[in-house]
Amino acid sequence: MMRVTLTGYSRGILSAIAVICATVAMMFSGNLLAQGDLTRKPQKLPELLMGSEESDYSLSEKKYELETGKAYRLEIVASGLKPYALRAPEFFASIYLRKIEAGGMEIKAVSLNELEFEDEGSAEIFFVPVKPGTFEFYITGLRHKGMEGVFVVK
């Protein structure tokens, strides 16, 4: 029979390993493991309307509050009063993009850089935020006119 004697140093290492294993087990139990498809049944957000009768430079929403792991759909509508190019580079890089619906078709893409509207029209994006933070969105060339806002993801 072999007998193993642990030194204080060895006991400390084993204790640290036990704590790490317990922490990992807690992380992967309960609420952190999702069941089902996270992209289904998206919550509809208030539409983002670019331009209005009051001003070519208005945005209907300046702030969207979102949560990681929840599915959303956002309709982006261009009034047609000006060309509008919506950009949100950091936000687009921090979401899972399921699809874009525009012009009677679905566009399946891995990422998005910009949504540009030359005329009146709309596009709807379906996505799941995966990274928390505050992310700016803006209309290219029209930020100085107040055409900017934020996505706050918790």
Side-chain angles (χ1 to χ4, degrees):
M1 174 182 236
M2 178 183 233
R3 184 175 189 166
V4 176
T5 305
L6 297 176
T7 65
Y9 179 75
S10 298
R11 280 189 214 112
I13 290 176
L14 286 177
S15 294
I17 290 171
V19 168
I20 291 169
C21 289
T23 302
V24 170
M26 285 183 354
M27 285 175 45
F28 289 102
S29 67
N31 294 333
L32 291 181
L33 287 180
Q35 294 184 15
D37 188 344
L38 293 177
T39 65
R40 300 296 175 190
K41 298 183 182 176
Q43 177 183 336
K44 186 169 177 48
L45 297 169
E47 76 178 12
L48 178 61
L49 176 60
M50 301 177 290
S52 69
E53 291 179 7
E54 291 81 36
S55 171
D56 297 359
Y57 304 107
S58 70
L59 280 178
S60 62
E61 301 292 326
K62 296 282 190 162
K63 184 178 185 181
Y64 288 95
E65 294 193 15
L66 312 169
E67 292 181 38
T68 57
K70 288 191 174 182
Y72 296 97
R73 62 188 245 216
L74 172 61
E75 185 172 11
I76 299 148
V77 181
S79 63
L81 299 170
K82 295 197 167 318
Y84 300 103
L86 174 70
R87 294 195 42 91
E90 290 84 16
F91 178 71
F92 292 149
S94 71
I95 63 172
Y96 166 75
L97 180 63
R98 183 171 160 240
K99 66 179 176 175
I100 303 163
E101 291 183 359
M105 66 178 172
E106 285 187 8
I107 303 159
K108 308 259 170 112
V110 176
S111 65
L112 180 62
N113 291 324
E114 178 178 88
L115 287 173
E116 186 173 345
F117 298 85
E118 295 294 327
D119 299 307
E120 183 178 358
S122 68
E124 195 165 21
I125 62 172
F126 294 75
F127 63 94
V128 177
V130 294
K131 182 180 175 185
T134 299
F135 306 96
E136 296 179 326
F137 68 86
Y138 56 90
I139 308 306
T140 303
L142 299 175
R143 286 181 95 163
H144 67 286
K145 297 281 191 179
M147 296 193 81
E148 60 187 347
V150 293
F151 292 103
V152 178
V153 182
K154 296 179 181 181

